[in-house]
Amino acid sequence: MAAFPFTIAATDGKARTGVLSTPRGDIRTPAFMPVGTAGTVKALTVEQVAATGADILLGNTYHLMLRPTAERVRRLGGLHRFMRWEKPILTDSGGFQVMSLSQISKVTEDSVTFQSHLDGSRHVLTPERSIEIQADLLGSDIVMQLDELVALPAERDRAAEAMRRSARWGQRCRDAFGAREAQALFAIQQGGTDEALRAESAERLREIGFDGYAIGGLAVGEGHEAMCEVLDYAPGMLPAERPRYLMGVGKPIDIVEAVYRGVDMFDCVLPTRSGRHGQAWTWDGPLNLKNARFAEDEEPLDPTIPVSASRDYSKAYLHHLVKAGEILGQVLLSWHNVAFFQALMGEMRAAIAERRMEAFRRDFAARQKAR
Ligand SMILES: CCOC(=O)Nc1nc2cc3nc(NC)[nH]c3cc2c(=O)[nH]1
């Protein structure tokens, strides 16, 4: 069943480091996936994204099915060729985006019906249609099941109902996906912040059998502590020999705490979104480049990070670009931030391999605060 071999090279407590091998390339884990919402990691060329060390990026089904439409992407050779990224791509199923972006959406057992936030046109997503869009039209390497998540805090009965529907949709996605070998299908665990519901979700999904298991329904406003409490037990409920993917996470400290608890894959818009707003992430916490203290700071952001945005440009110049509202400021800070997140993942892969993740976690948290 396992379409993609996942080799765990070392473990340190609950943390793991390894390689998820796909026909389009290997993904070193723990891995961070830059988000390429509408077929672009905002403000960056694919060459700049590759230079950060990213092994895989994320594409959004919701956005691409609305514009330029999945059928057009297919006619143009699929998403890899369309955006010139020949490494692995993971696409989401569209469910979360529908719930958070479309004004009108209606969920039934059969499907999610919604209106486009672009032109109000009506669309229907079923588990089968989501698989067709992702696997056949966009041609992604890792396909996500269609799921139904509830915003927190959620009534237990509501969370249970959405979790059980997600598991039924997982079965329908598994059936629609069929016996493909060159692509993988990941499940999504739901259940809110309820341990028993999370366990039931994991058992239902494990019985169906998937190539990887995502932890959904988090990073939806519950806060860092509540998320960590769920992560104290949720990753361990999922099959240990398959990748575990925490969706939509997160700030560097969130990622470190989740890797420490056994999570292997992450995606978040934070590096590019905060870069567009003048923020640079560093080992000592985030810097706001609008701040006057950088006006004549001739040092680069971080000479140890192998992209020119981090290594070659002075903070004084970045400060100027941000104050002037120059597009290049958004480009350079987005590029640096994605490269910083990749450097963070690389440091954790090394820390786990050398059995010093506990010390890394402690030192990282201390440095992020001491600003
Ligand atoms: C990336 C795959 O996503 C899906 O197909 N469904 C899904 N996506 C989520 C995205 C999320 N982003 C955040 N915070 C920024 N929380 C998320 C949860 C889900 C989810 O439960 N389910």
Side-chain angles (χ1 to χ4, degrees):
M1 165 79 68
F4 294 169
F6 179 46
T7 307
I8 295 176
T11 62
D12 186 358
K14 292 181 176 180
R16 306 109 67 82
T17 184
V19 176
L20 178 61
S21 301
T22 84
R24 281 201 166 86
D26 288 351
I27 300 158
R28 296 163 291 175
T29 67
F32 179 82
M33 301 182 279
V35 175
T37 301
T40 155
V41 178
K42 292 190 188 306
L44 301 181
T45 64
V46 286
E47 289 83 2
Q48 287 174 308
V49 177
T52 68
D55 293 332
I56 176 171
L57 60 80
L58 185 144
N60 284 131
T61 293
Y62 173 80
H63 289 275
L64 292 166
M65 73 186 279
L66 296 182
R67 184 175 56 192
T69 75
E71 283 74 11
R72 172 164 292 170
V73 174
R74 177 87 190 87
R75 288 194 297 272
L76 293 166
L79 185 56
H80 293 83
R81 185 159 144 206
F82 187 48
M83 68 182 291
R84 296 182 55 254
W85 174 265
E86 290 304 332
K87 296 180 185 188
I89 294 176
L90 178 147
T91 47
D92 72 348
S93 58
F96 178 82
Q97 303 258 315
V98 169
M99 316 285 182
S100 45
L101 282 177
S102 157
Q103 280 75 7
I104 315 284
S105 66
K106 185 164 69 73
V107 181
T108 66
E109 183 61 27
D110 177 61
S111 59
V112 181
T113 303
F114 61 94
Q115 273 191 286
S116 161
H117 70 290
L118 298 175
D119 61 14
S121 56
R122 185 177 171 280
H123 298 263
V124 180
L125 258 185
T126 61
E128 295 77 13
R129 172 67 177 159
S130 180
I131 297 302
E132 179 192 26
I133 289 173
Q134 296 177 73
D136 298 332
L137 303 180
L138 301 179
S140 72
D141 304 284
I142 301 178
V143 169
M144 299 306 297
Q145 73 155 92
L146 183 65
D147 60 334
E148 183 188 9
L149 70 146
V150 287
L152 291 178
E155 283 293 304
R156 191 181 192 278
D157 293 350
R158 179 80 190 83
E161 182 205 331
M163 176 272 288
R164 291 170 186 143
R165 172 169 289 160
S166 291
R168 292 192 295 273
W169 284 359
Q171 181 65 66
R172 285 171 56 185
C173 286
R174 179 85 265 172
D175 296 343
F177 189 80
R180 299 164 192 259
E181 283 300 308
Q183 293 166 294
L185 176 65
F186 278 25
I188 302 177
Q189 182 200 43
Q190 292 293 351
T193 56
D194 183 290
E195 188 165 355
L197 293 181
R198 286 273 172 191
E200 180 185 332
S201 178
E203 270 327 294
R204 289 173 180 267
L205 297 171
R206 178 196 294 264
E207 270 161 41
I208 297 166
F210 290 86
D211 306 309
Y213 296 83
I215 298 169
L218 293 179
V220 287
E222 73 280 3
H224 179 77
E225 280 64 35
M227 183 178 75
C228 287
E229 279 169 25
V230 175
L231 294 177
D232 281 342
Y233 58 76
M237 296 171 169
L238 303 172
E241 73 284 359
R242 301 309 308 160
R244 297 158 177 163
Y245 162 28
L246 177 57
M247 302 169 139
V249 174
K251 292 196 299 293
I253 190 70
D254 298 330
I255 293 175
V256 171
E257 290 301 309
V259 167
Y260 181 74
R261 291 168 173 78
V263 176
D264 307 303
M265 295 169 68
F266 301 85
D267 86 273
C268 193
V269 295
L270 183 63
T272 40
R273 181 174 293 170
S274 60
R276 292 197 302 280
H277 296 103
Q279 190 170 58
W281 287 88
T282 74
W283 294 106
D284 300 309
L287 306 181
N288 180 345
L289 268 296
K290 285 198 182 97
N291 192 306
R293 66 189 170 110
F294 298 116
E296 299 194 11
D297 182 337
E298 298 191 65
E299 293 305 308
L301 285 169
D302 186 336
T304 70
I305 292 181
V307 300
S308 69
S310 311
R311 204 176 38 192
D312 303 330
Y313 291 87
S314 71
K315 289 198 275 282
Y317 181 64
L318 294 169
H319 170 76
H320 161 66
L321 293 178
V322 171
K323 294 286 277 186
E326 285 295 335
I327 294 170
L328 184 60
Q330 299 186 336
V331 172
L332 294 176
L333 288 178
S334 297
W335 194 15
H336 161 76
N337 285 343
V338 173
F340 174 74
F341 274 57
Q342 295 304 329
L344 173 64
M345 306 318 284
E347 288 299 316
M348 286 194 283
R349 293 192 293 261
I352 297 164
E354 294 158 23
R355 295 349 183 247
R356 51 179 177 77
M357 182 62 196
E358 185 72 54
F360 177 89
R361 173 200 183 213
R362 188 186 57 244
D363 297 347
F364 183 80
R367 273 192 77 176
Q368 285 290 301
K369 285 196 178 62
R371 293 209 326 78

